[in-house]
Amino acid sequence: MAKSVPVQCPTCHREHSFTPPTFPCACGAPLTLPVLPDAAPELLGHRTWRDSWVSVRCTACDREGQWPRPEFGCSCGTVMRLPVPDDEAAARDAPPRAGTRPAFRPVAIRTERDAVMAAERYLRWLGFTDVRRPGNCPAPAVAGVDLRATGLVARVDPTTLPTTLRDVECLWLHGLLDSAAAVCFSLAGYAPDARCRADDLCLPLFVLDLAGTPQPLNDWADELVKRAP
């Protein structure tokens, strides 16, 4: 069970006891958010998508995930956000891990099935060796998820129209429900609002070319390529 930490309200200065929340990591281990007991809490005036999440690395599997930032409401009416060390900045500055990845072998895209196959092959190349299509997974097939692996769900959009904001948000929700990272591949690119929301949600975006080679489109995709298992 997580140990409680003292929290002092910055408004009325009452001291409370707060138990940090624990979430299930994709590896199955419990992950308790490391709330800092000595840091001052932040008054919460309004919420944004980006500020509501924090990057924390699981000590059991070393996988980095996005988790809700812990909040606490004082009896005086003050709502505060509790400080948690964020791995995101450190992850951006960390050098790529040395690896022995062979050159990626693409598959030419002529049909929708080829697009899914190209994304599947690419995820395997990144190190997600157990990637499966929903029909071959224990998990039930759901709309908007075309590939699954341990700790990951992926959508492959092979249409000739840009992937929409709704598509990105639905995929992110599937990842949240599964405690998994979400990744999107698109043949025709993304609508501008979909790209902005993906950045807010820390969701990697890739564009597929007809040769079958996915290209990272945002910083989160670059980070996935560098830090994939």
Side-chain angles (χ1 to χ4, degrees):
M1 182 176 178
K3 292 183 178 180
S4 298
V5 296
V7 175
Q8 187 177 55
C9 175
T11 302
C12 69
H13 305 294
R14 290 191 183 119
E15 188 166 290
H16 305 274
S17 179
F18 177 78
T19 301
T22 298
F23 301 98
C25 178
C27 71
L31 184 148
T32 300
L33 296 187
V35 174
L36 299 174
D38 299 326
E42 171 192 354
L43 288 174
L44 184 58
H46 67 279
R47 293 180 177 86
T48 64
W49 278 105
R50 182 182 293 277
D51 291 340
S52 296
W53 299 88
V54 63
S55 298
V56 176
R57 190 174 300 281
C58 176
T59 56
C61 67
D62 200 40
R63 179 183 285 109
E64 184 179 300
Q66 295 289 319
W67 308 101
R69 288 185 183 271
E71 298 175 2
F72 182 80
C74 179
S75 56
C76 73
T78 298
V79 179
M80 63 199 89
R81 181 174 286 140
L82 304 181
V84 176
D86 194 333
D87 290 336
E88 180 180 311
R92 287 180 177 275
D93 296 335
R97 293 178 297 178
T100 56
R101 250 185 229 154
F104 176 65
R105 298 174 61 185
V107 53
I109 297 176
R110 300 182 181 87
T111 66
E112 293 184 4
R113 184 180 179 86
D114 291 337
V116 176
M117 185 182 300
E120 180 180 359
R121 182 175 292 187
Y122 187 75
L123 290 172
R124 289 182 183 278
W125 178 75
L126 286 179
F128 296 96
T129 55
D130 64 340
V131 64
R132 296 283 191 276
R133 302 183 192 188
N136 299 323
C137 285
V142 294
V145 174
D146 299 291
L147 297 168
R148 289 181 182 270
T150 300
L152 180 136
V153 294
R155 174 183 174 86
V156 184
D157 185 353
T159 66
T160 56
L161 296 175
T163 300
T164 66
L165 170 64
R166 182 177 182 276
D167 293 333
V168 166
E169 290 183 332
C170 286
L171 174 61
W172 175 79
L173 286 172
H174 285 309
L176 183 65
L177 291 172
D178 290 353
S179 297
V183 184
C184 194
F185 297 86
S186 177
L187 195 61
Y190 301 84
D193 55 355
R195 289 192 58 174
C196 290
R197 183 54 58 87
D199 287 338
D200 288 341
L201 299 177
C202 310
L203 194 151
L205 300 181
F206 291 86
V207 174
L208 291 163
D209 59 30
L210 292 179
T213 302
Q215 301 294 337
L217 190 63
N218 60 0
D219 291 342
W220 301 108
D222 288 330
E223 195 62 39
L224 178 66
V225 173
K226 287 192 297 182
R227 303 188 65 84

